[in-house]
Amino acid sequence: MGGTVFSAPPGTPLLDYVEAAYPPDHSDYPILAALVDNELRELTIPVQRDVMVKPITLSSSDGHRIYRRSLVFLADNRR
């Protein structure tokens, strides 16, 4: 959220920050990943220092690619 600062202990998963900033019930699209200091990262990474975060949703091209790739992994694991 434009310029809002969130803080938590070092090692807190990125997902915790994203859920605080963008509650799931207030979005038309799920957040699948995030750009952390302009690097595409999964939401499970622990945040160890101050970072800039931009969420990646299913509405973006990166979001579509992440979603498709996830479906491929799920389908492949069903064998």
Side-chain angles (χ1 to χ4, degrees):
M1 303 191 84
T4 304
V5 175
F6 293 87
S7 64
T12 299
L14 180 59
L15 178 62
D16 291 357
Y17 291 97
V18 170
E19 286 178 340
Y22 305 93
D25 57 335
H26 289 97
S27 176
D28 292 335
Y29 298 100
I31 296 174
L32 304 174
L35 285 176
V36 178
D37 290 338
N38 292 318
E39 184 177 331
L40 189 60
R41 301 300 304 258
E42 58 196 38
L43 298 176
T44 57
I45 67 159
V47 177
Q48 301 292 351
R49 59 181 175 76
D50 291 348
V51 293
M52 297 292 295
V53 177
K54 179 183 175 197
I56 301 296
T57 67
L58 191 53
S59 66
S60 71
S61 60
D62 281 334
H64 280 286
R65 185 175 48 83
I66 291 166
Y67 185 74
R68 279 192 310 268
R69 187 174 180 131
S70 297
L71 289 177
V72 167
F73 284 130
L74 287 173
D76 190 45
N77 285 334
R78 296 190 80 201
R79 293 180 189 178

